[in-house]
Amino acid sequence: MDSVDICYGIDDIPADVGPTSVTIGVFDGLHRGHQQLVSACVEHARANNQVPVMVTFDPHPVSVFLPERAPVSVVSFERRLELAEEMGIEMVLVIDFTKELEGVEPRPYVRDLLVGKLHAQHVVVGENFTFGAGASGTAEAMRQLGEEFGFSVDIIPLLDEDGVQICSTYIRQSLSRGAIESANWALGRHFTVTGPVVRGAGRGGKELGFPTANQYFPDTVAIPADGVYAGWFIVHSESPLDGDMQPEVAYAAAISVGTNPTFGDEERSVESFVLDRDADLYGYEATVKFVGHLRDMVKFHSVAELLEAMAQDVAAARTVLAADARAQGCNSEDYFLKEK
């Protein structure tokens, strides 16, 4: 990340920052609803020679005050920063709420942070935005304080389409039932997970002829419901790979999520069978982009039955991913080499 400045804490804000256009929120999914706020902030900043700033929180405030209700992460913190940069944000202020803002009333919140530190000339918030001690401040209160302190406020309505409110809760619910297409629709991009490739049980290549790249994630990370999916597999490396894959290229994959009930495995994993390619991926970080749900996870009565289903999964994945590649402007015959 070369062009975005990351400030970890209020005291890390440069004294000479500003004037700024600021958007504030957890942005835990940076879905299409959140993107409206970021776009409004960036557009206003560019039109008025201001620095577009995102103020976000880590950890999620709910995980602090109600840890038993802490939501799983739809997008990693690192990815949140990358997406902010891609959308035109030039500075991200990361606040640990409990250390810096807990108990601060709305007026000093605005006076000391937005005006005193960030030199805000414009603030963008969602209509359900709350701030200050006990979430006592509202979006309308922010507008009133803006009039007092001399900055404009843009309140963005919640995004509703087809009777659905686009929010992180909807995305989590979609993932929990395997509706990856619905999650992608709300996100405005493919749902992704990134993590190291580790050694699994080893039966995929030796016993079944379908070698997989295995990844495991903590319970705090959202992954789709158990099942089989079509998606893109991208391995990250600054050096060449041992095999016929290249770093930072998206390869077609059939992806199994779950515990592998046929063999009695207990730990949930994401296992990607990369189509038409073979490389030693152990130890590398890799990103999996989920495109479509192929089938639910089932327990097969024999290895032969499993192999038949896996062959059908691969064929179905080719169809889904060819369509996805064409939709993104790639040649159908080269879809398994779609660039990131």
Side-chain angles (χ1 to χ4, degrees), residues 4-63:
V4 64
D5 293 323
I6 312 297
C7 300
Y8 291 96
I10 294 172
D11 291 339
D12 198 28
I13 301 172
D16 59 352
V17 69
T20 64
S21 174
V22 181
T23 186
I24 313 170
V26 178
F27 299 113
D28 52 344
L30 268 179
H31 50 66
R32 291 196 291 125
H34 292 151
Q35 291 165 29
Q36 291 187 130
L37 276 68
V38 175
S39 294
C41 173
V42 171
E43 289 173 8
H44 189 278
R46 289 174 175 170
N48 293 276
N49 196 29
Q50 298 166 355
V51 178
V53 177
M54 172 189 286
V55 176
T56 190
F57 304 90
D58 187 58
H60 195 298
V62 173
S63 69

Side-chain angles (χ1 to χ4, degrees), residues 34-108:
H34 292 151
Q35 291 165 29
Q36 291 187 130
L37 276 68
V38 175
S39 294
C41 173
V42 171
E43 289 173 8
H44 189 278
R46 289 174 175 170
N48 293 276
N49 196 29
Q50 298 166 355
V51 178
V53 177
M54 172 189 286
V55 176
T56 190
F57 304 90
D58 187 58
H60 195 298
V62 173
S63 69
V64 175
F65 298 109
L66 294 169
E68 70 280 3
R69 296 177 57 185
V72 292
S73 175
V74 173
V75 61
S76 70
F77 176 70
E78 293 75 16
R79 183 59 177 151
R80 195 190 320 174
L81 300 181
E82 291 175 356
L83 289 168
E85 179 181 5
E86 290 174 8
M87 287 185 274
I89 291 293
E90 295 179 15
M91 189 177 91
V92 177
L93 170 61
V94 184
I95 294 177
D96 184 330
F97 189 86
T98 58
K99 293 180 179 178
E100 302 191 89
L101 291 179
E102 184 179 15
V104 177
E105 295 296 327
R107 193 172 187 278

Side-chain angles (χ1 to χ4, degrees), residues 28-230:
D28 52 344
L30 268 179
H31 50 66
R32 291 196 291 125
H34 292 151
Q35 291 165 29
Q36 291 187 130
L37 276 68
V38 175
S39 294
C41 173
V42 171
E43 289 173 8
H44 189 278
R46 289 174 175 170
N48 293 276
N49 196 29
Q50 298 166 355
V51 178
V53 177
M54 172 189 286
V55 176
T56 190
F57 304 90
D58 187 58
H60 195 298
V62 173
S63 69
V64 175
F65 298 109
L66 294 169
E68 70 280 3
R69 296 177 57 185
V72 292
S73 175
V74 173
V75 61
S76 70
F77 176 70
E78 293 75 16
R79 183 59 177 151
R80 195 190 320 174
L81 300 181
E82 291 175 356
L83 289 168
E85 179 181 5
E86 290 174 8
M87 287 185 274
I89 291 293
E90 295 179 15
M91 189 177 91
V92 177
L93 170 61
V94 184
I95 294 177
D96 184 330
F97 189 86
T98 58
K99 293 180 179 178
E100 302 191 89
L101 291 179
E102 184 179 15
V104 177
E105 295 296 327
R107 193 172 187 278
Y109 178 114
V110 168
R111 179 194 64 211
D112 298 339
L113 173 59
L114 296 182
V115 177
K117 289 286 189 177
L118 290 174
H119 308 141
Q121 294 294 304
H122 185 68
V123 173
V124 181
V125 295
E127 65 174 287
N128 61 344
F129 173 74
T130 59
F131 67 104
S136 56
T138 63
E140 188 55 40
M142 180 66 76
R143 191 194 300 277
Q144 294 170 3
L145 287 165
E147 293 175 357
E148 176 182 348
F149 286 101
F151 59 84
S152 56
V153 176
D154 192 2
I155 300 175
I156 305 297
L158 298 176
L159 179 59
D160 287 90
E161 288 186 8
D162 301 328
V164 173
Q165 185 180 107
I166 307 299
C167 63
S168 298
T169 298
Y170 172 79
I171 295 167
R172 292 186 185 98
Q173 291 172 344
S174 297
L175 293 172
S176 69
R177 65 177 192 271
I180 194 66
E181 296 86 353
S182 296
N184 290 347
W185 169 76
L187 284 166
R189 61 181 183 274
H190 296 132
F191 172 75
T192 69
V193 292
T194 299
V197 176
V198 301
R199 294 189 182 277
R203 68 175 67 92
K206 294 179 180 178
E207 297 181 24
L208 304 178
F210 289 89
T212 57
N214 299 274
Q215 296 167 288
Y216 296 89
F217 298 92
D219 293 339
T220 54
V221 175
I223 60 174
D226 292 4
V228 179
Y229 301 84

Side-chain angles (χ1 to χ4, degrees), residues 214-245:
N214 299 274
Q215 296 167 288
Y216 296 89
F217 298 92
D219 293 339
T220 54
V221 175
I223 60 174
D226 292 4
V228 179
Y229 301 84
W232 301 106
F233 184 90
I234 304 164
V235 63
H236 308 295
S237 173
E238 296 181 357
S239 58
L241 304 176
D242 182 10
D244 60 0
M245 294 174 61

